[in-house]
Amino acid sequence: WAYPPAFLLVLTPLGYLSFSLAWVTFVALSTLASALAIRPLTGGRVQLLSAAALAPAFAPAFLMGQTSTLWAAGLVAALVALHSDRPVLAGIFIGLLTFKPQLGLLIPVALIAMGAWRTIFSAAATTALMIIIPTLVFGVAYWPALIDVMALHSDTTRGSIEEITLMVSPYSFLAGLGLPEHVALGVQSGIT
């Protein structure tokens, strides 16, 4: 399990369901989150809301039960809240996005550039709660285990990158072309 413990806490109830029912539930909740996030941008047009929430581009994420749709819904909700002058709500959504923190590396930079201090403080408080509450539930041993799993995941991915044809990144593209790993990683690091 390569996610911070808050996401495990949220998904734990799905573990009591069969795989197929858990998958359907997760996809339905992700779709609902997308629809709710996009709703303020659609001007009440149901067709536009349906087209956005069920866009064909989401199909691979839905098929594999990926978290990307849920994460994107959280980002859209945060942007809508910022646009609607609701900085604390935006911060809550941004804090919730830390279930996949690597995707939001530039969000703090953007918030600092905006001077969105209430959003920053709200996001920090939400993130702190997302660390504290699950740690109380699962224990502090979760964190070193997460670090070990992440290292194993990284080693496994790097060891088989030429065979993973569906990964989309400069690193996977360059490694797939046969460039030495240190070159591919260097380019990826520079781009990042």
Side-chain angles (χ1 to χ4, degrees):
W1 180 256
Y3 288 92
F7 198 49
L8 179 60
L9 187 62
V10 170
L11 293 183
T12 294
L14 295 179
Y16 294 102
L17 304 175
S18 68
F19 178 82
S20 46
L21 185 55
W23 174 79
V24 167
T25 302
F26 182 78
V27 169
L29 290 173
S30 296
T31 303
L32 178 62
S34 295
L36 290 172
I38 293 166
R39 189 172 58 93
L41 305 175
T42 62
R45 293 177 293 217
V46 175
Q47 304 90 327
L48 187 55
L49 176 63
S50 299
L54 298 171
F58 289 154
F62 289 154
L63 184 63
M64 296 186 299
Q66 282 287 330
T67 60
S68 56
T69 306
L70 190 59
W71 199 92
L75 182 61
V76 169
L79 292 172
V80 167
L82 279 170
H83 182 71
S84 302
D85 198 30
R86 299 172 74 186
V88 173
L89 182 60
I92 291 170
F93 284 123
I94 291 167
L96 293 173
L97 293 178
T98 59
F99 79 86
K100 198 153 186 154
Q102 71 274 22
L103 297 182
L105 293 177
L106 293 178
I107 292 173
V109 175
L111 293 174
I112 290 168
M114 291 172 54
W117 301 110
R118 291 187 338 184
T119 303
I120 292 168
F121 292 132
S122 175
T126 303
T127 301
L129 288 173
M130 289 188 58
I131 292 169
I132 294 167
I133 294 170
T135 299
L136 292 173
V137 172
F138 297 119
V140 295
Y142 189 102
W143 294 102
L146 176 63
I147 292 168
D148 291 345
V149 166
M150 295 301 290
L152 178 63
H153 178 70
S154 176
D155 290 345
T156 302
T157 301
R158 288 175 47 214
S160 59
I161 196 67
E162 296 87 9
E163 299 148 18
I164 304 175
T165 58
L166 297 178
M167 184 175 284
V168 180
S169 71
Y171 166 69
S172 61
F173 174 72
L174 295 173
L177 290 177
L179 268 69
E181 181 185 29
H182 70 278
V183 172
L185 277 175
V187 171
Q188 178 71 54
S189 296
I191 291 171
T192 301

